[in-house]
Amino acid sequence: MASQNVDPTSASSFSSAKASEKGGSMAKGSVSKRLQQELLTLMRSGDKGISAFPDGENLFRWIGTIQGAAGTVYEGLSYKLLLEFPSGYPYNAPRVVFVTPCFHPNVDCEGNICLDILKDEWSALYDVRTILLSLQSLLSEPNIKSPLNTTAAALWNNQTEYKKQMLFHSQNVKQK
């Protein structure tokens, strides 16, 4: 299964600098093609509560949105995300951060996310849709054993108090 994360166009497979340069532009073209396909797939998916589109003309930088799932403390809330794709995508994970401040055990105050599929469990088989659905799921099912926000993690088991703090945090952010 490890071979799925091996980039067949990586520069190490070429012997000369010229071939390496050509491989880099071929890789960028294949990444663009992959991202275009992922955009079409996402648009056609019909998944509720998730969306993402390139930020202007830059296909390597997307703005995504996830909605809090019904029946959770996040119900009715919407979060904006930034997704930045490296030239080695899909063999390397994209950088994903919350733009909208999010009070959550696995999200720090800078919007960084602790989610295994965005780090050491990344697979070239994942796509933007998978990332967004995983983040939407993470909102209601955090990993409180590996928190970035220890305050949120400590409150998680008391959903009434957690929701108060989350809403307080959201209101303070909107006022700034």
Side-chain angles (χ1 to χ4, degrees):
M1 191 104 183
S3 64
Q4 70 195 15
N5 286 334
V6 176
D7 183 353
T9 62
S10 70
S12 63
S13 65
F14 296 100
S15 58
S16 72
K18 187 75 169 165
S20 175
E21 187 177 297
K22 182 179 179 185
S25 63
M26 283 180 11
K28 190 168 183 173
S30 66
V31 173
S32 294
K33 190 177 277 190
R34 163 88 181 234
L35 289 170
Q36 289 169 347
Q37 184 59 47
E38 288 190 28
L39 178 59
L40 287 173
T41 300
L42 185 62
M43 289 170 46
R44 293 178 181 159
S45 74
D47 292 311
K48 300 259 187 238
I50 64 168
S51 66
F53 297 95
D55 186 14
E57 297 295 316
N58 186 351
L59 196 57
F60 288 79
R61 181 182 167 99
W62 291 25
I63 301 297
T65 304
I66 57 173
Q67 305 289 322
T72 72
V73 293
Y74 293 95
E75 181 175 7
L77 298 175
S78 178
Y79 293 92
K80 186 187 284 188
L81 304 158
L82 173 65
L83 297 88
E84 294 178 318
F85 300 92
S87 60
Y89 182 80
Y91 305 103
N92 303 109
R95 178 178 171 266
V96 183
V97 296
F98 276 86
V99 174
T100 306
C102 179
F103 183 77
H104 188 276
N106 303 116
V107 180
D108 70 14
C109 62
E110 301 294 320
N112 297 305
I113 305 163
C114 181
L115 181 62
D116 58 355
I117 70 160
L118 295 177
K119 307 289 184 223
D120 54 332
E121 295 297 319
W122 175 255
S123 167
L125 300 174
Y126 295 143
D127 60 8
V128 173
R129 181 178 171 271
T130 304
I131 294 166
L132 295 175
L133 289 171
S134 295
L135 288 171
Q136 189 179 46
S137 176
L138 183 70
L139 285 180
S140 58
E141 299 173 20
N143 179 358
I144 58 174
K145 293 179 182 173
S146 179
L148 286 178
N149 181 335
T150 56
T151 303
L155 291 172
W156 180 256
N157 290 325
N158 180 345
Q159 290 288 279
T160 303
E161 187 59 31
Y162 183 90
K163 187 168 185 174
K164 283 182 194 174
Q165 288 298 316
M166 183 194 62
L167 294 174
F168 176 76
H169 179 77
S170 296
Q171 289 171 349
N172 283 340
V173 169
K174 288 179 185 175
Q175 293 172 1
K176 289 182 181 180

